[in-house]
Amino acid sequence: MHTSSIAAIQPESRKPALMLLDSLLEAAGDAVFRVTLGGQVRAASRRAQLLTGVELDGRPLVAMVHDIDQPALRAALATAGGAHAGSEPVVVEARFRNGERDVWFELRLALVASGDDAPLLVVGRDMSAQHATEERLRHMATHDALTELPNRVLLSDRIRMVIANARRSGQGFAVTTIGLDGFKKVNDGLGHAVGDAVLRMAASRLRRTLRDSDTLARVGGDEFVAVLPGSSSEAQIKLVTGRLMAALQSPFEIDGHTIYLAGSIGVATYPDHAEDEVRLVTLADTAMSRAKETGKARTVTYSPRDAGPPEHDISLEAAMFNAVREGEFQLYYQPIVDAANRTIEGFETLMRWKHPTLGMVSPARFIPIAETNGLINLLGAWALKAACMQIRQFEEVAGRELYISVNISPRQFRSDKFLTVLDDALALSGTPGRNLVLEITEGTLMVDPVHAESVLGKMAERGARIAIDDFGTGYSSLAYLKRFPISVLKVDRAFVKDLPGAEKDAAICKAVLDLAKHLDLSVVAEGVETEAQLAFLDSLGCQYVQGYLTGKPMPAHVAMTALKEDLYTELLPADFRAVKP
């Protein structure tokens, strides 16, 4: 019998009410079946007929759905068949086979008083659109929208699965973090649309390089993470990372632009370096940062010596924000003296943090954290303003003109508000610009020379002098001495500590002094701790020195006493002497 519609396959003796019900269901467009208690189809709507495409009369309903869903449907038929007419329908979801694809349906099974051998009414609502939407939402929640690669959420799940397998098999694996070298210049120079295209192309290249069993995820910006099950030996890792590196070195041809990039890769292995997914990714990222710091376009496997600040620095960071509110930061002042007569000519301002329980916290610990979290802008602005106020008091006590030297951090120098802060500090204190020296490292200037030249020029317009701090330890490009309005070179303590016996250090100091003389620059030698060092530098013509010999960093009131009585370290309280700048 052909089952093109419910009405067509039902006997003429059906009750009018049942015929009306069938007609309504047919009009609704749902897939409707009349089924025996044994599960055989006796009648079906046109939608059901189109769905299956086969003769339905006498066929088991269960046979029409996916094998995985058959047990659930079988149980639902048994439950519905054992109920009484008028009971709440039994609801089950199942996938019907429709050619090459499966179609999700929600089936509602109810027992009706049909008066024939097919008392089970099964009404199916097409759930394809809903399931497709749910699948899209799941995909969006676990994948990167730009590259379609897994995101951090799915990456963590994949790593946990690989860890579980590794524990069972006893076989290690590697996690690699891949960062694109030079990607920022693409976004800044060519725009984000080209940058996005580069990221999509890079993702595709990296994915093709890996095995099907590997996972590649994008974890943000220009960083990717690859999980390599079964690859833990040095040779295996070298092979894979070499391929990843090569995939990024070919030029990217996008919108008429030829773009050359490279990749820095960090590696962490299970179980050698860590045994949980968060730590593995963190250590691989640390190794990648090390690769970027040491030349880029290379692979670095994690080593404990690559680790950054200790974990407790996270709590230290929280304490820093509280310290700002509580006024725990202080300024200390180290004398800069004339090498010939030891007269104080100025002071370098140094920031100190006196914690109520930790005591004096080393700047080597808190300055890098402040630079990272942006707190350095707030602290730097406060230090600049306070120093400009303090120099006025120092001059009143000394009865002569002095200068104050303030360190400007890289982040502070790059801030678009820096010049405003400088103007405020000079205006608030009434300090002439000529009494202010701003110390900047070579590396800060060379990150963006064009920006540096503009800012330095505006600083010089305000009368402030520019000092290059730690001269000779950074880029040491003589070109910037000509290009930038620099007034002072500060010779790093690394070249002073072994004087006068170290021939190479002596040669470097002499060369710097000769260079400064011809360029009409002042020179300050840092880290002078012995009379022999002072005498040697004085003999070379170094006019200014600073160091423990002529004055340790000291609070403002001690500095004012030193100005009055020409005394230095003897006046420094014992608990201050142990803290070096």
Side-chain angles (χ1 to χ4, degrees):
M1 181 183 298
H2 191 72
T3 55
S4 60
S5 70
I6 288 180
I9 63 174
Q10 294 302 309
E12 294 296 329
S13 59
R14 286 189 316 161
K15 297 177 181 179
L18 193 57
M19 293 177 65
L20 176 61
L21 175 61
D22 288 345
S23 298
L24 291 173
L25 291 171
E26 187 77 62
D30 286 331
V32 183
F33 303 89
R34 296 279 309 287
V35 183
T36 68
L37 293 176
Q40 280 76 37
V41 175
R42 284 288 180 262
S45 67
R46 290 188 180 89
R47 176 74 176 89
Q49 178 69 31
L50 293 172
L51 174 67
T52 58
V54 296
E55 179 71 35
L56 298 180
D57 191 17
R59 286 175 55 83
L61 181 65
V62 171
M64 301 175 194
V65 304
H66 197 286
D67 295 349
I68 297 175
D69 301 323
Q70 289 182 4
L73 178 56
R74 194 175 288 112
L77 287 167
T79 301
H84 56 81
S87 297
E88 284 291 318
V90 177
V91 181
V92 64
E93 286 196 5
R95 283 160 289 188
F96 278 79
R97 296 192 182 94
N98 185 10
E100 295 297 320
R101 68 187 186 95
D102 295 328
V103 182
W104 276 101
F105 271 82
E106 178 191 77
L107 302 176
R108 302 177 70 86
L109 293 74
L111 191 67
V112 297
S114 62
D116 59 14
D117 70 339
L120 284 177
L121 183 67
V122 180
V123 180
R125 182 165 63 96
D126 190 339
M127 302 288 287
S128 301
Q130 181 174 327
H131 274 271
T133 300
E134 291 173 356
E135 181 58 34
R136 282 196 301 273
L137 291 174
R138 279 194 294 270
H139 185 84
M140 290 170 62
T142 57
H143 288 75
D144 171 55
L146 180 65
T147 63
E148 291 296 313
L149 293 175
N151 61 15
R152 285 186 182 273
V153 175
L154 185 54
L155 174 67
S156 293
D157 185 62
R158 295 274 179 87
I159 297 178
R160 284 193 292 269
M161 290 174 59
V162 176
I163 288 173
N165 291 333
R167 284 174 178 161
R168 286 193 296 268
S169 66
Q171 192 175 31
F173 68 92
V175 172
T176 67
T177 299
I178 306 139
L180 302 186
D181 298 330
F183 179 72
K184 185 176 183 298
K185 70 183 180 186
V186 177
N187 268 347
D188 293 347
L190 301 176
H192 289 278
V194 174
D196 288 349
V198 168
L199 289 173
R200 284 192 292 268
M201 189 178 293
S204 176
R205 290 183 184 181
L206 293 172
R207 179 63 266 179
R208 289 197 302 270
T209 300
L210 300 173
R211 304 165 299 180
D212 291 341
S213 58
D214 299 330
T215 294
L216 178 68
R218 182 184 177 220
V219 293
D222 60 356
E223 290 191 14
F224 301 85
V225 172
V227 185
L228 313 173
S231 299
S232 60
S233 72
E234 184 177 346
Q236 290 170 323
I237 292 170
K238 185 177 180 180
L239 177 65
V240 177
T241 56
R243 290 173 177 168
L244 292 171
M245 200 86 75
L248 297 174
Q249 288 173 341
S250 300
F252 292 78
E253 302 286 349
I254 296 170
D255 292 346
H257 301 288
T258 300
I259 301 166
Y260 290 90
L261 298 174
S264 293
I265 300 178
V267 180
T269 59
Y270 172 95
D272 298 334
H273 298 137
E275 297 187 26
D276 67 274
E277 77 278 5
V278 174
R279 190 74 176 145
L280 281 166
V281 174
T282 299
L283 297 185
D285 193 61
T286 298
M288 184 202 69
S289 297
R290 182 65 176 164
K292 285 184 175 290
E293 291 168 2
T294 54
K296 301 183 179 180
R298 61 193 301 261
T299 297
V300 170
T301 298
Y302 174 77
S303 169
R305 67 175 177 272
D306 296 331
E311 291 180 5
H312 65 261
D313 275 357
I314 295 173
S315 60
L316 192 68
E317 181 178 28
M320 284 178 63
F321 283 94
N322 185 66
V324 172
R325 292 191 296 268
E326 299 298 326
E328 295 172 9
F329 287 97
Q330 306 168 13
L331 292 184
Y332 277 42
Y333 302 89
Q334 184 169 32
I336 299 172
V337 308
D338 188 298
N341 57 30
R342 307 195 190 196
T343 302
I344 297 176
E345 299 292 335
F347 291 90
E348 179 180 354
T349 305
L350 299 165
M351 197 175 300
R352 294 290 183 259
W353 176 16
K354 191 169 185 179
H355 190 276
T357 57
L358 297 175
M360 298 298 286
V361 181
S362 168
R365 288 183 66 193
F366 71 78
I367 292 294
I369 298 174
E371 183 77 13
T372 300
N373 63 23
L375 193 58
I376 196 68
N377 285 329
L378 177 63
L379 291 173
W382 162 74
L384 185 57
K385 292 175 183 177
C388 287
M389 295 290 289
Q390 188 62 57
I391 192 62
R392 301 304 300 272
Q393 295 184 30
F394 288 161
E395 288 181 329
E396 289 175 9
V397 168
R400 56 191 170 88
E401 192 172 82
L402 299 168
Y403 75 86
I404 197 78
S405 187
V406 181
N407 290 280
I408 305 302
S409 81
R411 186 160 185 164
Q412 195 180 359
F413 184 73
R414 291 193 301 268
S415 171
D416 57 4
K417 297 181 180 178
F418 172 66
L419 291 172
T420 301
V421 170
L422 175 59
D423 288 338
D424 290 346
L426 294 174
L428 180 67
S429 63
T431 300
R434 67 177 181 275
N435 296 138
L436 178 63
V437 173
L438 301 172
E439 297 190 18
I440 302 169
T441 63
E442 296 172 273
T444 301
L445 298 180
M446 300 311 292
V447 168
D448 188 347
V450 174
H451 171 264
E453 186 173 16
S454 172
V455 175
L456 291 177
K458 292 173 183 176
M459 290 161 65
E461 289 172 4
R462 290 154 171 80
R465 287 180 287 164
I466 313 301
I468 300 300
D469 196 16
D470 302 335
F471 181 73
T473 62
Y475 288 82
S476 299
S477 170
L478 298 182
Y480 72 71
L481 295 178
K482 175 183 176 182
R483 179 175 181 179
F484 301 145
I486 294 164
S487 301
V488 182
L489 300 182
K490 300 196 74 174
V491 179
D492 187 74
R493 67 186 64 244
F495 304 119
V496 173
K497 65 183 180 67
D498 294 324
L499 294 178
E503 292 183 7
K504 291 183 178 179
D505 289 338
I508 290 172
C509 288
K510 187 176 186 303
V512 171
L513 288 163
D514 288 343
L515 179 67
K517 180 180 179 181
H518 287 91
L519 294 177
D520 195 24
L521 303 175
S522 297
V523 177
V524 179
E526 298 181 289
V528 176
E529 299 184 358
T530 69
E531 292 288 351
Q533 291 170 349
L534 177 60
F536 181 77
L537 289 164
D538 186 29
S539 72
L540 291 180
C542 181
Q543 187 175 359
Y544 303 108
V545 299
Q546 72 180 93
Y548 275 30
L549 177 67
T550 54
K552 295 182 180 181
M554 56 188 73
H557 71 278
V558 178
M560 284 191 284
T561 303
L563 284 169
K564 286 179 182 177
E565 304 182 19
D566 286 333
L567 297 175
Y568 306 113
T569 54
E570 291 80 6
L571 294 172
L572 195 65
D575 61 331
F576 295 138
R577 295 178 189 174
V579 181
K580 293 189 177 184

